[in-house]
Amino acid sequence: MALVTPETTRWVAAATALVFVLASVSFVVPASGSVSPVPFDDTVKTGGTSVDVRTAEVEGFEVPLAQVHFSRYRYIIGYYGVTTAAADVSTAESARQFGDPLAVFVTDYATVSPTLDDDGYLRTEHNRNPGWTKASEASFVVDSGARVPSGPIAVPFSDADAARSFADAHGGEVVDWATLRDRAGDPLSSRLAAFESSVAAHHEWANQTTVASDALFDRPVSTVVGEDAPTVEAAVASAPANTTVYVPAGTYSVDAVELNRSVTLLGAGSDTRLVGDGNGSVVHLRADQSAVGNLSVSGVGEVGTRRVRASNESVDWDTRVELAYGRGDAGIVLDGANESAVRGVEIDTPASGIIARESADGVIDGVTVRGADEPSDGFMGVVLIGERSVVQDSTFLGGRDGVYTHRADGSVIRDNHMEDGRYGVHQMYTSDALVADNVVRGDRIGVVLMTRPVGNLVVGNDVRESDFGFMPAGSDTYVADNVFAGNDYGMDVSGDRQVYVGNVVAGNGVGVRGSSTFPTNVVVRNDIVGNDVRVESSLGPMRTWTVGGEGNYWGDLPLEDANRDGVYDRAYQPSGVVDAELGREPGALALSESPAVRALRRARDAVSGLRGSGVVDAAPRTEPVRPETLAALNATEETDD
């Protein structure tokens, strides 16, 4: 028998009191009445992919929509893609989260003369907006030529003849709502496949861009500093386009080196030292396909940010940010220098290391930036503004942020090491970027996404010994296969339509903070173990972190798996006052299985008014998703001890 200490007795007594207080709450039964469709903008949106939604907004084609009015949820759930809605409304997780569907409405293309363009995208005559029809009364054309970027779509019609006419013109067959629901696949699988395809595409673009930059460092040498020209500035000024200026080992005092043509400035390694006068940026790349490599830079000015003057207070936000973050001093500045590269450069700077302004398809590779010891005294390792670039295999020590981006959509930031700064990767207004396989140690936040971006990919990063491992905003973020360990907070689940899968969240003060208002995020197949607090969640409704009968691993819980299917036999609430202590307090298991708590769990599942905030996992795993990673973390802890 487990030892019951006075502390345990007090905890059990307090928890029991709370249970009976909760059990005394009056049951809330949702009122019934007529249900009508609402504007899609008024729904809580889920489903689909960011590529589909954003491309449709830009190009003006149609994404069929659905909206579902549930019996136990005050908000209306809007789905991008009627197939997604068909797959979701029948699941056990949906029933637990929202209740039964009172009504499902889908967009109606019967009266707007739909057709397909050359890409197979659905368009309406004169761009007319479709209305709504009940899904149960609609006919759906499936397996036609209609598609969105991520794949085929079902097209709904209120009139069966209109559906058959569309199928005759564009292929496919006509089915009803019940058949569509029976045929609908796993919506998570399709989303994961789309995300993984996007990760692969980003890596492929980065690989191709990096390989293309190799040619910049193979140019013939036209000028050698000290032999053909007395100074670095003179050598660069005299060098023909598409040649290399070679700078032998030594220390060179420079004012400002300006690369105004497509030339490469190449040193002999870190023993080639360019030293500025401490009053501004040291090297400027102002031409396409220019490059700097194999040298060190110091003597950078101390101005990290140039604030907007009072007379210019009316400038727009982008201009304000560019002036503040993109016009400070740096070791190297790329200004409108497309397809340029910085490789193998070491920079010591009190301000920024590298600033790339409106310089598309650049490569920053194998650089080391040593910033200020105190983050508040320095600035950014790399700043990307306005265009995408690759930042890879680099080291950022100290300073404010390792890599900062502003509207640098599509950038790839991979295989870097960030240490002792404010933020490792800091994205502002940047969507569709890949942040992969970076290592962050001792920062305030490892990876932070701000200002409602869409479609970012945060994959395979390792953040430890920081205040916060990961903090997102926006929607459609793919957060996969990361390690957040030994931080004050592991990861934050916020925004909407985010997908968290395969992450290891271990040994943090708080494992996961659930701060999203709406329950449209997917959190599944993660290992969330050994945290002082498993889940901290006090905002929004109760959220179900289970999809398709798959949940997360919360450690070795004292629960039963009678059929040995790898899933505990009852749901687990890691944010609950009782369940949170399972495996920690001797009295927690007995209390969790008491008649009062069992009755409360049944009532919570049936009545939305008893749910409150928090997180429930309907299918908690008995075994970890990534046992090798957990074993390596444990081995590291034992070595440190």
Side-chain angles (χ1 to χ4, degrees):
M1 176 179 292
L3 178 64
V4 180
T5 66
E7 291 181 355
T8 300
T9 303
R10 286 194 294 271
W11 176 85
V12 171
T16 305
L18 179 58
V19 166
F20 284 108
V21 168
L22 291 173
S24 69
V25 176
S26 60
F27 281 21
V28 179
V29 180
S32 61
S34 61
V35 178
S36 301
V38 302
F40 192 71
D41 285 345
D42 294 342
T43 67
V44 177
K45 300 168 187 62
T46 188
T49 71
S50 61
V51 173
D52 296 340
V53 175
R54 296 183 70 200
T55 307
E57 290 173 349
V58 172
E59 298 188 13
F61 62 81
E62 290 285 315
V63 177
L65 308 172
Q67 56 175 272
V68 184
H69 302 239
F70 286 99
S71 61
R72 301 183 198 150
Y73 198 62
R74 60 177 295 187
Y75 301 103
I76 299 164
I77 306 299
Y79 292 87
Y80 291 105
V82 296
T83 305
T84 303
D88 190 55
V89 295
S90 303
T91 64
E93 293 82 23
S94 174
R96 173 185 287 273
Q97 182 72 65
F98 305 120
D100 298 322
L102 298 176
V104 181
F105 297 96
V106 294
T107 44
D108 177 18
Y109 292 96
T111 62
V112 293
S113 303
T115 188
L116 302 182
D117 63 17
D118 292 341
D119 294 316
Y121 297 158
L122 184 67
R123 297 185 182 273
T124 62
E125 187 179 45
H126 306 304
N127 295 318
R128 288 188 292 167
N129 294 321
W132 296 96
T133 187
K134 287 185 177 180
S136 59
E137 299 174 0
S139 297
F140 300 84
V141 179
V142 298
D143 300 328
S144 72
R147 61 183 301 274
V148 292
S150 64
I153 56 173
V155 185
F157 296 83
S158 61
D159 181 76
D161 290 337
R164 284 189 287 269
S165 177
F166 184 87
D168 290 341
H170 304 291
E173 64 174 310
V174 179
V175 301
D176 60 14
W177 177 241
T179 303
L180 185 68
R181 289 173 63 175
D182 290 341
R183 292 174 51 163
D186 178 4
L188 178 59
S189 294
S190 62
R191 289 191 73 191
L192 292 179
F195 278 130
E196 285 299 321
S197 176
S198 185
V199 170
H202 279 72
H203 277 304
E204 181 60 24
W205 170 79
N207 293 341
Q208 292 175 355
T209 303
T210 301
V211 169
S213 72
D214 290 345
L216 304 181
F217 298 94
D218 290 333
R219 288 166 166 162
V221 174
S222 63
T223 311
V224 178
V225 176
E227 296 180 9
D228 303 311
T231 65
V232 175
E233 294 92 331
V236 169
S238 64
N242 299 313
T243 67
T244 294
V245 172
Y246 179 69
V247 188
T251 300
Y252 301 83
S253 297
V254 297
D255 293 328
V257 180
E258 303 274 348
L259 277 66
N260 294 316
R261 291 181 306 287
S262 300
V263 300
T264 298
L265 183 64
L266 191 65
S270 59
D271 289 337
T272 298
R273 297 179 290 272
L274 305 188
V275 182
D277 61 6
N279 291 314
S281 299
V282 180
V283 180
H284 295 262
L285 281 63
R286 304 189 189 277
D288 294 349
Q289 296 185 337
S290 50
V292 179
N294 295 351
L295 49 79
S296 64
V297 177
S298 60
V300 182
E302 297 183 353
V303 178
T305 175
R306 287 182 164 84
R307 300 295 182 185
V308 180
R309 295 180 180 178
S311 59
N312 292 328
E313 285 298 324
S314 61
V315 299
D316 61 75
W317 172 249
D318 280 349
T319 301
R320 188 183 299 274
V321 169
E322 180 177 334
L323 289 171
Y325 287 4
R327 296 286 174 176
D329 298 333
I332 299 174
V333 176
L334 290 76
D335 195 352
N338 301 315
E339 300 178 358
S340 295
V342 179
R343 181 180 294 179
V345 173
E346 297 185 14
I347 302 174
D348 289 275
T349 176
S352 289
I354 300 170
I355 297 175
R357 295 191 297 261
E358 305 296 338
S359 298
D361 300 334
V363 175
I364 298 169
D365 184 9
V367 307
T368 298
V369 178
R370 290 179 283 265
D373 291 337
E374 290 294 328
S376 59
D377 293 337
F379 222 61
M380 315 304 189
V382 170
V383 177
L384 306 179
I385 291 185
E387 293 288 353
R388 66 178 180 175
S389 288
V390 180
V391 182
Q392 65 181 22
D393 296 316
S394 296
T395 300
F396 304 99
L397 305 175
R400 192 165 300 185
D401 300 347
V403 179
Y404 170 88
T405 70
H406 180 85
R407 297 201 188 280
D409 294 356
S411 291
V412 172
I413 303 164
R414 63 183 185 181
D415 299 302
N416 302 289
H417 183 97
M418 293 98 165
E419 190 171 324
D420 294 334
R422 182 183 67 168
Y423 306 150
V425 179
H426 180 191
Q427 293 188 181
M428 293 276 284
Y429 292 107
T430 298
S431 296
D432 191 35
L434 172 63
V435 180
D437 304 313
N438 300 285
V439 173
V440 183
R441 296 288 186 268
D443 281 17
R444 280 179 52 194
I445 304 177
V447 179
V448 56
L449 314 180
M450 295 186 177
T451 55
R452 297 200 57 77
V454 177
N456 284 299
L457 309 162
V458 181
V459 179
N461 301 283
D462 187 320
V463 183
R464 307 187 198 186
E465 302 160 16
S466 299
D467 293 350
F468 225 118
F470 173 65
M471 185 179 294
S475 61
D476 288 287
T477 308
Y478 182 48
V479 187
D481 303 326
N482 302 282
V483 173
F484 305 117
N487 308 290
D488 291 344
Y489 285 81
M491 69 181 185
D492 189 63
V493 175
S494 59
D496 59 273
R497 294 192 295 156
Q498 324 276 41
V499 175
Y500 298 74
V501 61
N503 301 288
V504 172
V505 185
N508 304 282
V510 174
V512 184
R513 186 176 71 176
S515 56
S516 56
T517 304
F518 298 115
T520 59
N521 297 316
V522 172
V523 183
V524 66
R525 298 202 294 268
N526 301 284
D527 293 328
I528 307 171
V529 298
N531 304 287
D532 294 341
V533 176
R534 288 172 172 129
V535 173
E536 180 182 275
S537 180
S538 59
L539 296 175
M542 184 72 72
R543 280 143 287 192
T544 300
W545 287 357
T546 314
V547 175
E550 288 194 275
N552 303 277
Y553 177 65
W554 302 95
D556 187 13
L557 301 176
L559 300 177
E560 189 175 14
D561 176 18
N563 61 1
R564 299 185 181 278
D565 64 349
V567 176
Y568 289 115
D569 293 342
R570 75 159 176 87
Y572 172 66
Q573 188 179 350
S575 61
V577 65
V578 178
D579 274 7
E581 299 303 324
L582 287 178
R584 296 174 176 172
E585 288 288 347
L589 179 61
L591 181 58
S592 72
E593 298 304 321
S594 67
V597 175
R598 285 187 174 186
L600 180 59
R601 278 201 298 269
R602 289 194 296 269
R604 182 193 63 208
D605 287 346
V607 182
S608 59
L610 285 180
R611 292 179 187 170
S613 295
V615 167
V616 63
D617 189 335
R621 299 171 59 99
T622 63
E623 299 292 336
V625 180
R626 298 171 59 186
E628 298 85 358
T629 302
L630 287 176
L633 285 173
N634 291 333
T636 300
E637 290 179 1
E638 291 174 1
T639 300
D640 291 342
D641 292 342

